[in-house]
Amino acid sequence: MLSSKSLEHDSPMVFVLFTAVACLFYFFRPGSMPPEPQTDKPASALFPKNLQHYLSNPGAKVVLGIDVSHYQGAVDWQQVAQTGIQFVYIKATDGITYRDPAFYSHLKGAQAAGLQTGAYHFFEPDDDPIKQVDNFVTTVHGLGLTLMPMLDVEITSNRSAEQISNGVAKFIAAVEQRTGCQTVLYSYGDYWQENLSAQFASQPFWLADYAASPGVPKQAQAWWLWQYSDSARVPGVKTQVDIDVVIAGESGLEAMKCTSKGAKS
């Protein structure tokens, strides 16, 4: 028990200790703790609200996906799926010989995480389109993909619009003949207008456009997907990544489903 003399002697120390405890209690009392930084965003938060009026049903659930290649490096697909991303397109091939070195590892991880998976081919206008189909189909055959193929068409290689259109048409027809699946055609609006003919008006179209007002080609009557950013930050992906929205939501994603035999899954 402290005597009055020792208490008087120690009073400055007691005061300091009391003040420190009071401050700690004030700043760290329940409800006053600073929030932990939020690293994981739900999928809906990745799609700006000011863009929702471009969707078929702006009030419905937003269906988002990403498209990746080896440039993304290792991806934590479980974390991607937990964010609410529902599908992924993975680069498989380019031209007549190239195979993306990360295609199989990305696909295995995405499938294990329960994502809908599709593969895409980068079209080289100066390569034989049928040989490009051989490269693509051989690479993706029998791997359990659940979504229709995608053809990425965005360079000219000094070919005319007629030559490009004819090559793309041959590629799409050959893929459908060999897999039973339609192909979704990916491109920029200006490129589509300048290099792809009206014969693709009803072809499922995937627009790459990062403006707040997307420039959908007037003749493109089947706008299915929109790559609205090429610099998204998605949990599980270390780099910036392309992110995409399905215009028709859940029903649109259902329409994209196709196995290698063309059967709905």
Side-chain angles (χ1 to χ4, degrees), residues 24-167:
L24 287 171
F25 179 80
Y26 177 81
F27 287 109
F28 295 98
R29 69 189 188 280
S32 67
M33 292 287 287
E36 294 184 1
Q38 295 295 316
T39 56
D40 290 7
K41 294 182 179 180
S44 58
L46 295 170
F47 187 67
K49 290 185 178 180
N50 65 304
L51 302 181
Q52 290 184 0
H53 66 281
Y54 289 106
L55 305 182
S56 299
N57 184 356
K61 178 183 177 181
V62 176
V63 176
L64 298 181
I66 58 176
D67 53 279
V68 300
S69 70
H70 69 277
Y71 290 112
Q72 272 63 55
V75 174
D76 184 338
W77 289 106
Q78 294 293 337
Q79 192 174 7
V80 171
Q82 290 168 8
T83 303
I85 295 294
Q86 292 184 249
F87 69 94
V88 58
Y89 270 82
I90 306 166
K91 184 175 183 178
T93 49
D94 182 328
I96 61 177
T97 59
Y98 180 82
R99 295 183 179 182
D100 191 285
F103 172 66
Y104 295 112
S105 60
H106 280 328
L107 178 60
K108 183 178 180 180
Q111 289 175 328
L115 295 172
Q116 298 290 337
T117 55
Y120 77 89
H121 175 83
F122 189 92
F123 187 74
E124 298 285 355
D126 54 346
D127 284 346
D128 184 301
I130 302 305
K131 290 182 179 179
Q132 292 191 66
V133 172
D134 291 340
N135 185 26
F136 178 70
V137 173
T138 300
T139 300
V140 306
H141 178 70
L143 298 180
L145 295 161
T146 58
L147 301 176
M148 62 172 59
M150 181 260 272
L151 181 62
D152 181 346
V153 187
E154 56 181 274
I155 61 173
T156 64
S157 300
N158 296 317
R159 293 299 191 265
S160 68
E162 181 179 5
Q163 290 173 316
I164 294 170
S165 292
N166 288 341

Side-chain angles (χ1 to χ4, degrees), residues 12-26:
M13 183 180 294
V14 173
F15 177 79
V16 171
L17 289 172
F18 177 82
T19 303
V21 171
C23 289
L24 287 171
F25 179 80
Y26 177 81

